Amino acid sequence: MGGDEEKTNSCGTICLKYLLFTFNLLFWLAGGAVMAVGIWTLVDKSEYISLLSSSTYSAAAYILVAAGAIVVMTGILGCCATIKEHRGLLIVFFVLLLFIFLLEITAGVLAYVYYQELNNELREDLRKTMVQNYQQPGKEHITRAVDRLQQDLMCCGSNSSADWTHSLWRETLAGDRLVPDSCCKTPSDLCGKRDHPSNIYKVEGGCISKLEEFILQHLQIVGAVGIGVAFLQVVGMIFTCCLYRSLKEEPY
């Protein structure tokens, strides 16, 4: 009777080991995905971020990178703990899973709070940034960000192309141009002289609406990845607890 019970326990332990090992492989891949999303936000979209007065968006991206890196290392630790059937390593693995879960909740809360404030921030700050800093001395990074924003999102001005009428750039550096050349559908030198829908982007809501739409889509991607990884973590914590309990206490 005792032999049958020991055999059953052994089979259950083996099954748990395979399940937890499979989980760790998936978790390791998910960690790479989380880190990739965070790095993409910081590197590829860094110029957009520079136009935002709040640091919440970039903070959430940094948390994702940190969480992704920890996930990758935790996945390796989880594989070692599972193969060696080491109860101490399983405890460390469980604690790390819980820590990463809390990190992701923090990033999710930051993203949610930021989205609630996003519209007001864009309307109050983006126009001011564009009309006061475009092509001004020492503001080259803002100039590059505005030009890329208008070209990538196919928009002109914060609310409309009329915003450029009262800008410092228009008063001092524009010459005959009515809008920056980056507003043009086909950019070329001095193409901003002709403020006509056939030549420049005329978008309802201007770059504010386009940037808000872009950030919302990006937050949805971040949220989907985060929810997927969080689900894996809950499963992993359950498997870890089950395997920990199935292993015999190591003698001291």
Side-chain angles (χ1 to χ4, degrees):
M1 187 79 171
D4 292 341
E5 184 178 351
E6 184 177 348
K7 184 176 180 181
T8 302
N9 290 338
S10 177
C11 289
T13 300
I14 291 172
C15 289
L16 283 171
K17 282 179 63 178
Y18 279 115
L19 286 172
L20 192 53
F21 189 80
T22 302
F23 159 78
N24 278 306
L25 290 178
L26 294 174
F27 192 56
W28 188 81
L29 293 174
V34 169
M35 192 161 52
V37 169
I39 292 173
W40 171 61
T41 301
L42 293 171
V43 175
D44 191 49
K45 308 305 175 186
S46 59
E47 290 183 346
Y48 294 172
I49 295 174
S50 69
L51 295 174
L52 304 174
S53 60
S54 171
S55 60
T56 307
Y57 190 62
S58 56
Y62 278 115
I63 290 175
L64 281 179
V65 173
I70 296 172
V71 164
V72 170
M73 292 185 289
T74 302
I76 297 172
L77 174 65
C79 288
C80 294
T82 304
I83 293 171
K84 293 180 178 293
E85 298 184 5
H86 195 291
R87 288 166 62 90
L89 286 178
L90 285 174
I91 293 175
V92 175
F93 178 59
F94 180 87
V95 171
L96 285 174
L97 283 179
L98 184 60
F99 175 69
I100 297 166
F101 187 74
L102 293 176
L103 270 182
E104 288 172 347
I105 289 176
T106 302
V109 170
L110 284 175
Y112 177 78
V113 170
Y114 179 72
Y115 178 67
Q116 299 303 307
E117 300 173 350
L118 177 60
N119 188 270
N120 290 335
E121 178 186 336
L122 289 178
R123 295 193 182 282
E124 290 177 6
D125 298 334
L126 186 59
R127 182 180 182 280
K128 181 178 177 181
T129 298
M130 293 175 74
V131 301
Q132 292 186 1
N133 298 311
Y134 186 74
Q135 287 195 359
Q136 299 306 302
K139 304 293 183 180
E140 290 79 10
H141 65 290
I142 291 181
T143 300
R144 288 193 300 270
V146 170
D147 285 337
R148 183 178 176 186
L149 177 71
Q150 295 189 140
Q151 275 296 295
D152 288 357
L153 302 187
M154 295 183 288
C155 57
C156 182
S158 55
N159 293 289
S160 70
S161 58
D163 291 332
W164 291 109
T165 304
H166 305 292
S167 65
L168 289 177
W169 166 81
R170 178 74 181 278
E171 295 172 2
T172 58
L173 300 169
D176 295 334
R177 287 177 294 178
L178 301 175
V179 295
D181 295 336
S182 57
C183 282
C184 298
K185 296 180 178 178
T186 305
S188 61
D189 289 340
L190 303 178
C191 66
K193 287 182 177 182
R194 194 164 67 92
D195 183 10
H196 190 272
S198 63
N199 183 50
I200 69 167
Y201 294 112
K202 294 280 190 178
V203 179
E204 184 177 352
C207 291
I208 287 177
S209 61
K210 286 282 192 175
L211 185 55
E212 185 177 15
E213 180 183 349
F214 164 80
I215 292 176
L216 175 59
Q217 290 174 347
H218 191 263
L219 289 177
Q220 288 173 341
I221 294 172
V222 171
V225 172
I227 290 171
V229 175
F231 175 77
L232 278 178
Q233 285 171 262
V234 172
V235 173
M237 285 188 280
I238 294 172
F239 286 163
T240 302
C241 290
C242 292
L243 181 58
Y244 179 86
R245 293 184 61 183
S246 72
L247 295 174
K248 290 182 179 179
E249 193 74 45
E250 293 180 359
Y252 292 97

